[in-house]
Amino acid sequence: MPIYEFQGNVPDIDSTAFVHPLASVIGDVRVGAGCYIGPFASIRGDFGTIIIGEGSNVQDSCTLHVGHGRRCELAPASHVGHGAVVHSAVLQRNALIGMNAVVMDDAVIGESAIVAACAFVKSGWEVPSGCLVAGIPARVVRQLEQDELREKIEATRKYQDLAAACLSTMHEAKIGTDNQVGNCEGLRPV
């Protein structure tokens, strides 16, 4: 997996975290216990520090980066959906960033808050705890219901289980003539 030292900073990845071999982790990055880092995630601690708290997940094609001398911090049980960008921001415990959302510098996503898919959280905005924000720029839509908060916790727990399963069972498959799935002989192109 592409793990790179940069200017003397070597990523610190807990042994119980799963970092997919196609993810890239560079420099001053700390990945906590039980985290899941998906394929094509780019986590660049080249200009500053990135901390990913215990039990968090950063899914496929996400980007975590920092400005010069800044920090990007995901508190425990943070959940960053496919394709999202988090730049020099802070996610408090149990926050969720939806797919393809963008969270800019110095934004703070409150505890158990949800940023909707494709939302844009502007620099410096503090998202209140326990609410849903959406739009471009993002605005508060409403307080989250208890069942929505439980669903978020369960979704994050599934990624924690996935991290453990990947560590114990995922390996590169060797596909060859002995284990081909099917035979296309005699089929015509459509």
Side-chain angles (χ1 to χ4, degrees), residues 21-71:
L22 296 176
S24 180
V25 182
I26 301 167
D28 191 3
V29 175
R30 286 172 244 154
V31 180
C35 289
Y36 173 88
I37 309 298
F40 306 109
S42 176
I43 303 171
R44 287 182 41 216
D46 45 13
F47 295 150
T49 302
I50 298 175
I51 300 170
I52 302 172
E54 179 179 349
S56 295
N57 65 82
V58 178
Q59 298 173 17
D60 315 46
S61 301
C62 289
T63 301
L64 271 57
H65 192 235
V66 288
H68 289 277
R70 311 285 280 276
R71 290 171 71 93

Side-chain angles (χ1 to χ4, degrees), residues 94-181:
N94 201 42
L96 183 147
I97 308 303
M99 292 184 250
N100 291 312
V102 175
V103 180
M104 293 300 296
D105 297 1
D106 301 320
V108 176
I109 310 303
E111 184 171 343
S112 299
I114 294 179
V115 175
C118 299
F120 177 82
V121 177
K122 64 185 181 181
S123 295
W125 191 39
E126 293 191 23
V127 173
S129 295
C131 71
L132 170 66
V133 300
I136 302 174
R139 61 180 176 72
V140 174
V141 174
R142 62 179 170 77
Q143 281 297 122
L144 292 163
E145 302 290 331
Q146 287 303 310
D147 61 326
E148 292 172 309
L149 293 171
R150 280 191 295 275
E151 287 173 11
K152 187 278 173 198
I153 290 168
E154 182 58 30
T156 301
R157 187 173 297 120
K158 287 179 182 177
Y159 272 93
Q160 293 163 351
D161 293 344
L162 180 61
C166 288
L167 284 171
S168 64
T169 68
M170 184 181 278
H171 60 276
E172 187 173 354
K174 303 294 184 204
I175 304 297
T177 55
D178 291 32
N179 56 359
Q180 286 180 341
V181 174

